Amino acid sequence: ITNKDIYISGGGLAAAISNGYSISYFPSNNDVLFLHISSLKNCVTINTETLLNEIIKALGDIKKLFE
């Protein structure tokens, strides 16, 4: 999975607590899964980009199981 596979669909949620994430997802068709991930910038113990990269890596691992 590369950045060319990332699409912006709009929408999303705000983080419910100050040191956590908000994640929503929905499949668009058989080939596209939209993820919305957010967190508060002022929290130093979490990193939304790191979480996104780990989710992308995990989805790639799951895809390999089905190939």
Side-chain angles (χ1 to χ4, degrees):
I1 297 176
T2 64
N3 286 339
K4 70 178 180 64
D5 297 315
I6 298 174
Y7 304 94
I8 306 297
S9 67
L13 304 168
I17 57 174
S18 62
N19 63 344
Y21 300 97
S22 173
I23 303 173
S24 64
Y25 62 93
F26 60 96
S28 177
N29 59 39
N30 289 337
D31 298 325
V32 178
L33 174 67
F34 289 101
L35 292 172
H36 299 271
I37 303 170
S38 64
S39 63
L40 299 178
K41 281 185 164 185
N42 61 350
C43 185
V44 297
T45 59
I46 60 176
N47 184 308
T48 304
E49 185 175 356
T50 299
L51 177 61
L52 172 62
N53 290 333
E54 291 301 317
I55 290 172
I56 290 171
K57 197 163 60 172
L59 290 172
D61 291 342
I62 292 168
K63 180 180 177 183
K64 287 178 188 175
L65 291 173
F66 292 95
E67 291 177 340

